[in-house]
Amino acid sequence: MSDNNYREMYVSEALEHIEIMNKTLLQLEEQPENRSYLDQIFRSAHTIKGMASTMNYDDTRELCKNIENIFDNIRKGTEKLTHDLTSALFVCIDLLQQMISDDKLKVDLAPYLKKLESPEQEIQNIPMQESVKTTTLPTIRVKMSDLDSVVNLVGELLTSKMQLQQTIENEKYENLKQIVTEIDRLITDLQYQSMQIRLVPIDQIFGRFNRTVRDTSQKLSKKINLSMDGSGIELDRSVLDSITDPLLHILRNCADHGIESPDERTICGKPETGNITLTVSRKGENVLIIINDDGRGIDVDRVKEKAIESGIITQEEAEKISHQEAVQLIGAPGLSTAKEVTDISGRGVGMDVVISQIESVGGTVKINSERGNGTTIELSLPLSLSIIRGLLVVISGEKFAIPLSSITTTLQIKQNEITSLHGTEVIKLRDRIIPLIKLNELFEMKNESDKSKPLTVVIIENDGKNYGLVVDKFERNQEIVIKKLDRNESTDLFSNATILPDGKVALVIDPSTIIQ
């Protein structure tokens, strides 16, 4: 095995222990009498120390040794886990994470070791920061039973392939249908099992969220209780990696801008401790993540004011829009209602970045808020990015795929049902005005359809609003294997494609991109 492989194995396993230390230290701070938490942190620190020693990472080994000694002293009863000591340990665990991720990082350990010795004192040249982001390749722990299932299915598939070859050689074509049916079943099972391997529990990232809210509340002298329920739900690893940072940003905003100070909450008749909840649930083929806080809520008047200043809307439009429409403006690019920039919620990074990141993995974002009563943010995400169910449609003779998760209904309308509103063609559906988007015009494709015939429309939902995508016709629903287009092939409108049964390529329509 090469040195690079050893390095990757070390980093992967060591960072898993870092996650355990972060998560368990938070639990130990809440339940200092729980011996199992103490033993778990000690074992993780000891394990990293041993691995670092084997790899000749002396600074990492030295820092681990000092962390290990503290937990050993706590176990012996010669030292107590105070709030200041916990904060100092978190700072050192952050540094440890950086050193593991970057073996070329040069650090002066002296101030960190001094902080561990005297946690209540302010030490110079030591950054008090939140947990750092790693740059290592993503890995997944796979259950042996899942791997065994894949190996068994591949074995059966090879057997069926040999049967197919033998049947063709012997010209026993009457047996072909049965063999093809069996191969189809095996491929479906293999596809399912392969997707299972990519799934990881969403609560795997909850430790980072607890740490973020703890650090933020400490810096702002606030009292915040964070409760989370993952409901045992698993997500594709690529989806989980893509939404971790947006979720962290939302939680920081809840703690920074949403939850009031203890004094302010007392004046408002609220308990001193603010509450943030994060719940996960299944809805069809999607996962719903709802983040709620009982803080001050969004100041709609200030949002309108900032939107006018930024040129997003006019004064006249601001007077006409509804409360809910004004709340959604918080996701407009470049809009921030913060009265001052802090190092907690970011410098000018707003909800527009969060929304774009969620939409990049096929998700949607809804925001509801009532001033004085808190804010609720709902994220809807696909379980997987690799295989989805889609509707095949035809536009100017070419086939395209639209994700079923975005479609609310399909219908045909007569030409005389179309009206114009502010220069946009619209139709009325169940008392709702639906703007129409003619995809052949948007894609700059020729259209030779008979204008006297009814139009075929696919109604989609995006950001709580409905739109009608006009196509020539739709064919069928089917599972779609997503293929990412490379830089030379992708455009502003398309970044994914799929291979059809006839071997042709169909571009995948991203509704959020089309709307923008």
Side-chain angles (χ1 to χ4, degrees):
M1 188 179 292
S2 68
D3 289 345
N4 283 339
N5 287 338
Y6 278 120
R7 163 75 186 162
E8 287 180 10
M9 288 175 60
Y10 157 74
V11 171
S12 177
E13 188 171 348
L15 288 178
E16 283 187 18
H17 282 287
I18 289 293
E19 288 293 329
I20 291 171
M21 292 173 71
N22 264 310
K23 177 182 177 181
T24 313
L25 183 53
L26 281 166
Q27 294 170 323
L28 185 63
E29 185 179 31
E30 294 176 359
Q31 303 176 44
E33 73 289 346
N34 193 316
R35 175 79 181 204
S36 65
Y37 294 149
L38 188 56
D39 291 341
Q40 179 63 73
I41 300 175
F42 179 86
R43 284 195 299 269
S44 289
H46 183 75
T47 301
I48 298 175
K49 184 185 75 171
M51 291 190 296
S53 180
T54 302
M55 298 290 291
N56 294 319
Y57 295 144
D58 295 336
D59 284 350
T60 302
R61 177 189 56 78
E62 182 65 19
L63 183 56
C64 275
K65 185 182 77 172
N66 280 268
I67 293 173
E68 180 188 43
N69 288 342
I70 286 176
F71 289 116
D72 192 34
N73 290 337
I74 296 173
R75 291 203 301 183
K76 293 175 182 176
T78 59
E79 195 165 357
K80 286 187 177 182
L81 185 68
T82 63
H83 181 78
D84 288 334
L85 179 55
T86 301
S87 297
L89 284 165
F90 273 130
V91 170
C92 291
I93 291 172
D94 284 348
L95 175 63
L96 200 56
Q97 183 173 326
Q98 286 181 306
M99 294 164 71
I100 291 168
S101 301
D102 183 1
D103 60 344
K104 294 181 175 60
L105 182 66
K106 301 299 180 184
V107 179
D108 179 12
L109 288 183
Y112 292 89
L113 301 183
K114 189 174 181 182
K115 183 68 176 176
L116 289 177
E117 291 177 3
S118 307
E120 70 286 348
Q121 295 181 8
E122 284 293 329
I123 308 295
Q124 297 297 318
N125 303 322
I126 183 168
M128 296 292 289
Q129 59 185 15
E130 292 181 28
S131 54
V132 295
K133 183 179 178 180
T134 61
T135 57
T136 57
L137 293 174
T139 59
I140 300 175
R141 279 191 179 274
V142 180
K143 296 189 289 289
M144 281 302 299
S145 59
D146 286 340
L147 283 180
D148 289 342
S149 296
V150 170
V151 171
N152 290 336
L153 285 168
V154 171
E156 291 182 53
L157 197 55
L158 287 172
T159 301
S160 294
K161 186 191 81 167
M162 289 186 287
Q163 289 176 340
L164 181 60
Q165 290 171 332
Q166 190 68 44
T167 300
I168 293 172
E169 288 174 7
N170 297 336
E171 298 184 357
K172 295 182 178 180
Y173 301 123
E174 67 275 7
N175 296 334
L176 282 178
K177 187 174 182 180
Q178 180 181 347
I179 295 174
V180 169
T181 300
E182 179 64 10
I183 289 176
D184 180 66
R185 179 190 69 80
L186 289 169
I187 289 175
T188 300
D189 290 347
L190 185 59
Q191 167 199 315
Y192 172 78
Q193 202 62 48
S194 299
M195 289 177 64
Q196 289 298 108
I197 288 176
R198 291 179 58 88
L199 296 179
V200 290
I202 192 168
D203 58 14
Q204 194 176 92
I205 58 174
F206 281 4
R208 291 184 63 185
F209 300 161
N210 271 314
R211 174 71 192 282
T212 294
V213 173
R214 177 198 182 274
D215 290 351
T216 303
S217 60
Q218 180 178 329
K219 288 182 180 181
L220 299 173
S221 301
K222 293 181 179 180
K223 297 179 180 180
I224 302 176
N225 175 57
L226 172 64
S227 60
M228 296 180 286
D229 180 11
S231 301
I233 289 173
E234 295 179 316
L235 275 178
D236 187 291
R237 177 61 190 255
S238 58
V239 177
L240 193 65
D241 288 344
S242 298
I243 66 169
T244 300
D245 282 347
L247 286 173
L248 283 169
H249 185 85
I250 291 172
L251 289 171
R252 287 194 194 101
N253 270 342
C254 290
D256 188 5
H257 302 305
I259 301 296
E260 310 94 332
S261 67
D263 289 345
E264 187 179 345
R265 290 181 67 85
T266 300
I267 293 172
C268 295
K270 298 180 179 180
E272 285 190 349
T273 301
N275 293 291
I276 302 174
T277 61
L278 186 154
T279 57
V280 187
S281 61
R282 280 285 297 271
K283 184 179 180 182
E285 294 185 352
N286 283 12
V287 170
L288 287 183
I289 303 178
I290 299 177
I291 305 100
N292 173 266
D293 72 65
D294 65 352
R296 59 173 62 93
I298 295 174
D299 186 340
V300 170
D301 292 334
R302 181 162 178 78
V303 170
K304 290 181 180 179
E305 179 186 324
K306 296 297 291 186
I308 294 170
E309 288 179 12
S310 304
I312 298 170
I313 59 173
T314 64
Q315 179 68 48
E316 184 181 359
E317 289 171 330
E319 293 171 357
K320 292 181 179 179
I321 62 175
S322 66
H323 172 85
Q324 186 57 30
E325 289 173 327
V327 169
Q328 300 308 313
L329 285 173
I330 202 74
L335 189 142
S336 174
T337 58
K339 295 181 179 179
E340 59 182 25
V341 171
T342 71
D343 61 352
I344 295 173
S345 297
R347 304 186 65 85
V349 177
M351 278 299 297
D352 61 310
V353 176
V354 171
I355 292 172
S356 64
Q357 284 182 276
I358 297 298
E359 289 180 344
S360 71
V361 293
T364 60
V365 181
K366 293 181 182 178
I367 307 172
N368 292 292
S369 185
E370 184 178 344
R371 190 171 182 181
N373 290 319
T375 300
T376 300
I377 299 176
E378 180 181 300
L379 313 181
S380 178
L381 300 155
L383 286 169
S384 172
L385 292 181
S386 54
I387 300 176
I388 63 171
R389 288 200 62 80
L391 173 66
L392 286 182
V393 300
V394 177
I395 304 168
S396 299
E398 298 289 337
K399 292 182 181 179
F400 294 81
I402 304 176
L404 276 184
S405 59
S406 302
I407 299 174
T408 57
T409 188
T410 58
L411 54 98
Q412 288 192 319
I413 58 170
K414 297 177 181 178
Q415 293 282 349
N416 59 12
E417 294 181 73
I418 300 174
T419 58
S420 180
L421 183 65
H422 304 304
T424 301
E425 289 187 325
V426 300
I427 58 172
K428 193 173 183 180
L429 179 65
R430 292 189 287 272
D431 297 326
R432 298 190 69 178
I433 302 299
I434 311 291
L436 294 180
I437 301 173
K438 293 184 176 179
L439 294 183
N440 66 297
E441 295 179 2
L442 183 65
F443 300 161
E444 298 180 350
M445 302 173 72
K446 292 182 180 179
N447 185 19
E448 299 177 356
S449 60
D450 188 346
K451 293 187 178 181
S452 64
K453 292 184 178 180
L455 291 179
T456 301
V457 181
V458 179
I459 305 297
I460 62 168
E461 182 180 1
N462 181 262
D463 197 20
K465 298 179 180 179
N466 289 120
Y467 300 85
L469 304 183
V470 180
V471 301
D472 294 346
K473 63 179 180 178
F474 37 78
E475 291 196 342
R476 64 185 181 277
N477 298 344
Q478 71 172 52
E479 287 190 329
I480 293 171
V481 179
I482 298 294
K483 299 291 184 182
K484 193 80 174 175
L485 298 175
D486 61 33
R487 288 185 179 180
N488 296 327
E489 297 171 323
S490 62
T491 67
D492 291 340
L493 289 175
F494 299 102
S495 57
N496 296 314
T498 187
I499 307 297
L500 300 176
D502 60 4
K504 293 183 179 179
V505 176
L507 294 171
V508 178
I509 293 174
D510 178 0
S512 62
T513 302
I514 296 298
I515 304 306
Q516 291 174 1

